Structure formats: structure tokens, C-alpha cells
Amino acid sequence: MCAPSDLDNVVLIGFMGAGKSTIGAALARLLNFNLVDLDDVIVQRCGRTIPEIFAAEGEGAFRDHETAALASLADRRGMVLATGGGSVHRPENWRIMRRLGIIVYLRAAWPSLADRIAGDAGRPLAIGNDVYQLWERRLPLYQQADVIVDSDRCGVEESARRLVEALRDGKP
Ligand code: S3P
């Protein structure tokens, strides 16, 4: 499989636990693209883990780091970008993501997401928050993607293959 020739980057959005990193890795292999995980970029730039950033600086500062990390990738090509689940909040992030390439929402049903993120200490917002309410609030934002693909209907490799087909056909 190879990437459609007019494809600059693929930007994956979706809630925590939707499979952005795992399906992103499989997709990057299929397209011969590089996988970039936005959380990893933030951690590298800040020299702190995500929980450390939340604990020391708070969510607002984390969102600033997130936008700066996204902006730092603006000239990249040939990348599958796995964003963090909250990257969809800021209009500025959408402008950067739209310039990067096609935006794909990896959609999963609430029970699948809840199962995957329950008690994950690496995800500060998954602990001690009303995560269901957060998910509901974000749904209309995720739905602004160019392409929507269900990520919990089949395995990682099959989801990635379906995603390549969707990118080729321009439909999910
Ligand atoms: C967040 C999701 C996390 C990470 C941070 C905030 C969110 O990324 O960016 O903990 O607001 O949903 P994943 O979606 O990869 O878990």
C-alpha cells in the first residue's frame, strides 16, 4: 500500500483511548509515513512527563504547550500525527491541523473508551474527573473532522487498512 499522492499528512483526533497512537503506528507503516505523537513532542520540548506538566503548571499551561508543539510541526510532511484528545478545543489548533493535512476522527463508543482509560495514571484528566461529561462535550468538536472512522469495530491492523481505503476513496 502507498499513500495517495496528494496526501501531505494525516492528523488523527479522538478521545483518550480511541487508538490514535496504536492505529496511527499501523497507518504510518502502511503509508510509509512517520508517526509523530503530539504528547511525545510536548514531553521532549518541556523535559517533563504529561502528568508532571499538569501537576506543576496546570491544564491551561499544558494547552499552551500543546498549541506550541502543534505549531512546531507546521512544515512537516509525510507524517501521521496522533494528537492528544484535547487538541480539538482551540480554534488555533484547528487552523494548524487543517493546514497540515486531512483530519481523521477515530471514533469509539463510550464503553470501549471507558475500559481503556480507567485509572490510567498517565492521563491526568482520566482521574478524578467526570470523563463521560468531557467526552460528550467534545463530540461535536471531533465531528468537524474530514473523515470519520470507527476504531473499535475491528483490530488495529484492519482499522488502519480501512483508514487507508477511506483516504483513497475520500469516504469512511
Ligand atoms: C488529553 C489527552 C492525552 C494528553 C493529555 C490531555 C485530553 O492524550 O494529551 O493527558 O485532554 O484528552 P491521549 O488522547 O493520547 O490520551
Side-chain angles (χ1 to χ4, degrees):
M1 273 181 171
C2 61
S5 54
D6 58 346
L7 190 65
D8 287 335
N9 301 290
V10 181
V11 179
L12 301 179
I13 64 171
F15 202 67
M16 294 176 270
K20 300 180 296 285
S21 304
T22 49
I23 296 172
L27 179 67
R29 276 194 301 277
L30 287 177
L31 295 175
N32 207 14
F33 275 19
N34 297 307
L35 174 72
V36 176
D37 188 304
L38 190 61
D39 279 350
D40 290 346
V41 177
I42 297 168
V43 167
Q44 266 168 18
R45 290 168 57 94
C46 295
R48 282 177 157 158
T49 65
I50 302 292
E52 282 169 355
I53 297 170
F54 269 79
E57 304 174 47
E59 184 176 352
F62 172 78
R63 297 296 167 208
D64 291 341
H65 294 310
E66 186 170 57
T67 299
L70 252 182
S72 77
L73 301 171
D75 295 331
R76 295 280 290 263
R77 293 291 175 269
M79 149 180 95
V80 172
L81 176 62
T83 64
S87 303
V88 292
H89 282 295
R90 289 190 173 176
E92 187 182 350
N93 294 354
W94 277 96
R95 281 193 287 278
I96 301 168
M97 294 193 295
R98 292 227 184 268
R99 276 201 301 270
L100 279 171
I102 191 151
I103 302 178
V104 177
Y105 168 29
L106 289 186
R107 182 172 57 188
W110 171 250
S112 317
L113 298 169
D115 252 17
R116 291 186 199 157
I117 63 180
D120 184 345
R123 290 178 161 127
L125 291 183
I127 294 167
N129 274 305
D130 187 341
V131 194
Y132 178 80
Q133 198 191 53
L134 183 63
W135 172 71
E136 270 199 316
R137 210 156 27 92
R138 285 183 182 168
L139 287 179
L141 299 171
Y142 294 136
Q143 278 154 7
Q144 292 172 33
D146 302 306
V147 175
I148 300 178
V149 172
D150 288 313
S151 67
D152 57 350
R153 297 249 174 106
C154 49
V156 169
E157 297 297 329
E158 182 57 23
S159 296
R161 267 193 296 275
R162 287 185 186 193
L163 188 33
V164 175
E165 295 306 325
L167 293 173
R168 285 233 174 82
D169 300 347
K171 58 180 187 306

